[in-house]
Amino acid sequence: MIQNDAVTSAKVSGLGNYVIEKVDDYSYNTSVSNTAESSYIDIAGGNTVSFTPTSSSDIISLQGYVVGRSAEAAGMGIGIMRGTSSTISSSDTVVSVIGKHQFYPRGSGNSFNTMPISINDTGLTAGTTYFYEIYGLANDASLTVIFQVSIAGGSNGHYLSGTHYKYIG
């Protein structure tokens, strides 16, 4: 459990003291359509958040969501990918995944899904810059799934935020 000692510091029970080193985020709202089964669909449009840990005890806390629409019986999901280059690809490291069978339409016809995801990434190499993005997954080879669907009121259809908690003992 994190207990706030001040706006920029926290004590993690049993783990030590941390300060907020950096906060980074991106939003993206260009629709990406897919009609093939895939375990990696680039839906971030080149956007990433990045952090450089100062010790292997640092914590990178990531939270985000993607709004998607799928046709009847078309499953979809999202994941967070980590790389050491800002150009992330399917060969980089999967940090968290909510699989391609996770979100299906409700009822018949098209259905909108708000797909949330969060993870704490730890045990990273000090001094190495890590880049993160949300990517998409789809389970059907013939039905359409669409990522980054605009929400009424102008909200973004894809958002990722991260906080780097620096270990201070």
Side-chain angles (χ1 to χ4, degrees):
M1 181 173 106
I2 295 178
Q3 301 168 335
N4 287 328
D5 295 329
V7 172
T8 60
S9 69
K11 181 173 181 73
V12 179
S13 180
L15 297 178
N17 294 307
Y18 289 81
V19 294
I20 295 174
E21 180 74 5
K22 179 182 176 184
V23 176
D24 195 6
D25 71 342
Y26 74 79
S27 60
Y28 188 60
N29 204 29
T30 299
S31 292
V32 175
S33 182
N34 185 78
T35 56
E37 186 280 329
S38 180
S39 294
Y40 178 83
I41 304 165
D42 183 358
I43 63 171
N47 292 289
T48 62
V49 295
S50 65
F51 303 97
T52 306
T54 57
S55 88
S56 61
S57 296
D58 288 7
I59 300 169
I60 309 299
S61 181
L62 301 156
Q63 307 83 35
Y65 68 87
V66 173
V67 176
R69 188 177 82 212
S70 56
E72 190 170 342
M76 60 193 313
I78 59 173
I80 296 178
M81 190 75 76
R82 177 185 69 218
T84 54
S85 163
S86 62
T87 306
I88 296 176
S89 71
S90 61
S91 62
D92 285 309
T93 303
V94 174
V95 178
S96 180
V97 67
I98 301 172
K100 55 188 162 185
H101 295 284
Q102 185 66 32
F103 298 98
Y104 280 90
R106 292 176 294 276
S108 61
N110 290 330
S111 179
F112 292 89
N113 294 298
T114 299
M115 300 172 282
I117 192 166
S118 63
I119 190 75
N120 289 332
D121 199 12
T122 60
L124 301 169
T125 302
T128 299
T129 300
Y130 295 95
F131 299 85
Y132 299 86
E133 73 170 15
I134 296 179
Y135 67 98
L137 301 99
N139 82 320
D140 196 280
S142 62
L143 297 174
T144 301
V145 295
I146 303 171
F147 298 90
Q148 279 90 255
V149 177
S150 295
I151 304 170
S155 298
N156 291 307
H158 178 147
Y159 179 75
L160 180 63
S161 174
T163 303
H164 172 191
Y165 293 96
K166 178 181 173 179
Y167 179 71
I168 57 170

